Amino acid sequence: MTSRRRFLASTAAAAAAAVLAPHVASAQAAAARVVVVGGGFAGTTCARTLRKLDPALSVTLVEANADFVACPFSNEVIAGLRDLKQQQFGYTTLARDGVTLAHSSATAVDPGGRTVTLENGTRLSFDRLVLAPGIDLRWDGLPGYTQDAAERMPHAWKAGAQTLLLRRQLEAMDDGGVVVMSAPANPFRCPPGPYERASLIAYYLKTKKPKSKLILLDAKDAFSKQRLFQSAWAALYPGLLEWVGLSAGGKVTSVEPSSLTFITDFARHKAAVANVIPPQKAARIAELAGVADRTGWCPVDPSTFESTLQSGIHVIGDAAIMGAMPKSAFAANAQAKACAAAVVARLAGQGVAEPRLINTCYSLVAPDYGISVAGVYRPTNGQLADIAGAGGVSPLDADAAFRAQEALYAQGWFKTITAEVFG
Ligand SMILES: Cc1cc2nc3c(=O)[nH]c(=O)nc-3n(C[C@H](O)[C@H](O)[C@H](O)COP(=O)(O)OP(=O)(O)OC[C@H]3O[C@@H](n4cnc5c(N)ncnc54)[C@H](O)[C@@H]3O)c2cc1C
């Protein structure tokens, strides 16, 4: 563990140096216009980094919402351990970095004409466009699960009103109720997220409604940090949290919102509280821009993040296909910095250095019980691939003090990244 942390620290320094490498201030780049769509972890980081790398650039960030509500740590809100306000961040400091904020939704992209049209009627011209719109839920991906159904069976996979709805339903549930969750097949936003959520809901039930039970129906047999989660569940939540994998009949084939029922090939599971995490895809604007393929996600060059379907348009964060790199806020932030360097280099007619990208995902199994997975990635055969031996997971046999320390690291990570991106 110690050597893994030392390695990651040195790699992080190297990656930061690599990102800051191109010193560009050519006349050609000076007048260039970059539009970034999506003010989440990826887009906001990219917009700021672009201006830091080349203060002469004109950078406009297009964001639909007035405030950003962060998903990391939203599972703690659902479990009653945190207030939603702690998840909310504004965009007021963007101007300090010389980034122009266009508070509107991007409704169309003309890749040939190099323009983005906004809902408020504005048309923005660009030399390079960065799309960082995150995900949309596939409303056609699970029979019975519609936008109306989500008001009864919340997904809470975009933080905000849905997070609070699930929280309120858990609070209103009688002790002895059965909470049922479903997790989708890969790929989806935050691979460890459903398992952290199950853990923290189990913590809430154990401490507040001990006669209750949680069933997690899963469309997979394997998931992120599986051995760590399962050994923690056996120790902390025996008899309370039941995980049903694909081969045990966990794949949900449809839902019945009127009766809060999940249907699999083998059984019907009626819930007192139902949390559906449905299949996902890149957010709609990616499709409209012609950068999403038939999978619903966006293929990109792993060194520049430029779309393989439309030149001049880069895609970062959850919307993109990143090979082995998971869809996380940490990853979105790392990709955004490397993408900004690539955009600046391209605008200056320079080559792009092959990036090394780091991801670490912390999960809480209980408030004082943290686990993590880390990986380092490099472009390989058109994808981002794991650098063998560079990452790892928390040790399986760690003691309580170690787990408590990792829970603190998780808090520290959230404070650091949100201060960097939105502070
Ligand atoms: C429950 C849960 C827990 C998680 N925990 C962690 C964690 O512990 N660690 C971690 O690293 N990651 C975690 N994640 C994953 C993380 O939230 C995402 O990977 C991250 O938010 C992706 O960043 P992004 O910038 O690609 O997308 P987002 O953060 O979703 O940002 C996209 C932005 O684009 C805007 N947008 C979309 N379309 C348009 C448009 N047409 N016009 C204008 N604006 C638009 C949206 O309003 C949004 O602000 C978690 C996710 C969930 C659901």
Side-chain angles (χ1 to χ4, degrees), residues 37-44 62-65 67-75 78 91 102 104-107 118 132-136 156-159 189-190 193-194 196-197 283-285 316-319 326-333 359-363 413 417:
V37 174
F41 286 100
T44 308
V62 180
E63 168 55 46
N65 296 315
D67 287 312
F68 181 71
V69 188
C71 285
F73 276 81
S74 64
N75 287 331
I78 291 165
Y91 294 101
S104 184
S105 188
T107 52
L118 308 188
I135 58 153
D136 272 353
W157 219 239
K158 289 190 178 193
R189 159 174 283 181
C190 194
E196 177 187 75
R197 177 173 294 175
R284 172 107 176 108
I285 191 66
I316 51 174
D318 284 1
K327 298 186 186 301
S328 78
F330 195 120
N333 175 261
N359 178 63
T360 304
C361 280
Y362 293 98
S363 301
W413 168 77
I417 193 165

Side-chain angles (χ1 to χ4, degrees), residues 3 6 12 23 36 92 108 112 119 180 222 230 247 276 287 310 319 324 363 365 404 420:
S3 63
R6 255 205 313 268
H23 300 289
V36 181
T92 50
E119 200 173 27
V180 184
Q230 288 184 320
S247 51
V276 177
E287 206 179 306
Q310 300 285 357
S363 301
V365 184
E420 185 202 314

Side-chain angles (χ1 to χ4, degrees), residues 13 27 29 50 52 60 83 104 119 128 135 165 188 217 231 241 255 277-278 287 313 318 322 357 378 386 414:
L50 281 163
K52 280 182 190 144
T60 303
D83 199 288
S104 184
E119 200 173 27
R128 293 257 156 192
I135 58 153
L165 178 60
F188 62 97
L217 301 169
S231 85
L241 194 169
V255 294
I277 304 172
E287 206 179 306
I313 303 182
D318 284 1
M322 292 290 178
L357 297 159
R378 64 179 297 181
D386 255 313
F414 186 75

Side-chain angles (χ1 to χ4, degrees), residues 154-401:
H155 53 78
W157 219 239
K158 289 190 178 193
Q162 279 274 311
T163 312
L164 290 179
L165 178 60
L166 183 54
R167 170 71 199 143
R168 282 197 293 269
Q169 290 184 351
L170 286 168
E171 280 175 322
M173 187 183 82
D174 289 337
D175 189 6
V178 179
V179 180
V180 184
M181 289 178 61
S182 66
N186 294 323
F188 62 97
R189 159 174 283 181
C190 194
Y195 313 97
E196 177 187 75
R197 177 173 294 175
S199 306
L200 292 179
I201 291 177
Y203 176 81
Y204 170 70
L205 299 178
K206 180 178 169 178
T207 50
K208 300 284 195 289
K209 298 185 177 171
K211 288 185 251 160
S212 308
K213 197 178 161 176
L214 169 67
I215 300 171
L216 172 51
L217 301 169
D218 204 334
K220 306 174 290 304
D221 273 328
F223 60 86
S224 175
K225 293 180 265 192
Q226 184 163 5
R227 290 180 70 203
L228 286 162
F229 273 115
Q230 288 184 320
S231 85
W233 292 343
L236 300 178
Y237 311 121
L240 195 163
L241 194 169
E242 181 191 351
W243 173 74
V244 186
L246 172 69
S247 51
K251 184 175 171 16
V252 174
T253 52
S254 65
V255 294
E256 266 177 24
S258 56
S259 60
L260 301 185
T261 301
F262 295 74
I263 296 147
T264 70
D265 282 341
F266 304 95
R268 293 171 62 86
H269 298 268
K270 189 167 166 29
V273 172
N275 173 213
V276 177
I277 304 172
Q280 297 149 36
K281 61 180 180 177
R284 172 107 176 108
I285 191 66
E287 206 179 306
L288 295 173
V291 295
D293 70 12
R294 288 168 64 186
T295 66
W297 303 102
C298 306
V300 294
D301 176 304
S303 290
T304 61
F305 306 94
E306 187 163 356
S307 166
T308 57
L309 303 178
Q310 300 285 357
S311 66
I313 303 182
H314 302 249
V315 189
I316 51 174
D318 284 1
I321 299 169
M322 292 290 178
M325 199 169 193
K327 298 186 186 301
S328 78
F330 195 120
N333 175 261
Q335 291 158 14
K337 291 173 186 169
C339 177
V343 167
V344 169
R346 279 280 189 270
L347 288 170
Q350 295 178 351
V352 174
E354 194 183 77
R356 298 289 178 277
L357 297 159
I358 300 171
N359 178 63
T360 304
C361 280
Y362 293 98
S363 301
L364 295 183
V365 184
D368 60 352
Y369 192 122
I371 55 177
S372 63
V373 56
V376 188
Y377 306 88
R378 64 179 297 181
T380 311
N381 301 326
Q383 291 283 334
L384 284 169
D386 255 313
I387 298 179
V393 292
S394 312
L396 203 51
D397 58 357
D399 61 15

